[in-house]
Structure formats: C-alpha cells, structure tokens
Amino acid sequence: EKIKCCTSYNIESHETSKHPFDFDAIVRESKASLVPHYFVLHDFDRQEYVYKNLAERKVRIIGITLLLQCCVRDLALSNFTGGKDYCSLFNFSLGRLCICFTNFGSKTELNELSWMVKVMGGVLKRDYDTAIDNIVLIANSAGREKFESASQTGKVCVKRKWLDDLFKM
C-alpha cells in the first residue's frame, strides 16, 4: 500500500514551538494528494495540541504503535482505517473487541474511556449482550446487573486499570 506518513515530535504547544505547524497548509496538501496521508503521533496525550488541531481538520491520525502493528503483521493501514478520509486510531490493541461499561458515575470519565476504546479499535456497546462472544465488561465496581450477568455467563470482566494499561502499550 502506497502511503505518505507525516510525523511530529516534541511539539507541546503553539506558544513553545519554534516552528509552529501551519495545520491548514498541511491538511490542504494531504487532501489534494492521490496518495493517502497519515499523520503519525507518538503519544496522543503528550502531543495534545497537535492531535486536537489535526482532529479538528478531520484527517487520518494514527499512533506509532498502530504503524508498528501493521509492519509486524504485514497488513495495510487501510485494513484498520477502513479507507476512511478521517480516523483517529492510536493502536489496534482492542481489535474490534466489543466493550461495555458499568458502574461509572461520571459522564466525563465515561467520555474519556469511550474515546480510549475508539482509538484502540474497540467497538462500544451500551447494552451488555451475553450473546456476543467477543464482549468485555469494564466495571468500576462489582454488584450491578451487567456485572452479575458477566459473572454468571463466564464473560470477561475487568477493571479500568486494564484499559489504562492497554492504552500505554
């Protein structure tokens, strides 16, 4: 697969960067090209300024981990991004695994967790369905219906730390 990768390192903010990106010019160039462009970021969190600017412009953003996963498996990036003009995929550690949450009270925390699942290639499920073979329940605590259902049917149930650790890989 012929692609062009654009990388950025050590850019923490527009104010501290000696050579700030002209994001609009970079995006115009990538969209005008016949060759798919991928913006490769080493760390979505530490390069938050760069990530947010690229995400606002709806381009393909991938993590260095995903690039390495493609190389190791000898797979094309389009296998993971679906050939979309816009995606944000850090790695493919969840590999289309269905993820459901339970016992998280904060909407902010749920939004953060949902974002992590999406950028690792996971699929969010609002309702816990025991008929789905590849479903994982992420529980903040034990005791509610979803947790009981997972326990009784032998489905995988993990804590948030599992997702955090996976994201750091």
Side-chain angles (χ1 to χ4, degrees), residues 1 38 70 74-83 89 92 96:
E1 174 179 35
Y38 291 86
C70 287
D74 195 25
L75 294 172
L77 278 170
S78 58
N79 288 358
F80 300 100
T81 62
L89 201 54
F92 206 67
R96 295 188 184 96

Side-chain angles (χ1 to χ4, degrees), residues 92-138:
F92 206 67
S93 297
L94 292 178
R96 295 188 184 96
L97 194 63
C98 295
I99 304 293
C100 187
F101 298 109
T102 190
N103 298 343
F104 288 93
S106 161
K107 189 161 180 89
T108 303
E109 185 177 20
L110 270 176
N111 287 340
E112 178 187 342
L113 293 170
S114 297
W115 177 81
M116 289 170 68
V117 168
K118 288 177 189 174
V119 299
M120 289 193 290
V123 177
L124 292 169
K125 293 289 183 188
R126 182 179 177 92
D127 298 316
Y128 186 76
D129 185 351
T130 57
I132 299 173
D133 289 333
N134 64 332
I135 194 163
V136 172
L137 181 67
I138 299 178

Side-chain angles (χ1 to χ4, degrees), residues 28-45:
R28 268 193 311 278
E29 176 191 332
S30 74
K31 290 188 176 184
S33 174
L34 297 175
V35 177
H37 280 60
Y38 291 86
F39 292 88
V40 183
L41 299 183
H42 184 268
D43 186 325
F44 281 23
D45 288 337

Side-chain angles (χ1 to χ4, degrees), residues 41 44 47-55 61 88 115 119:
L41 299 183
F44 281 23
Q47 293 181 300
E48 185 177 355
Y49 170 76
V50 175
Y51 174 80
K52 282 184 178 180
N53 272 281
L54 290 172
I61 307 167
S88 186
W115 177 81
V119 299

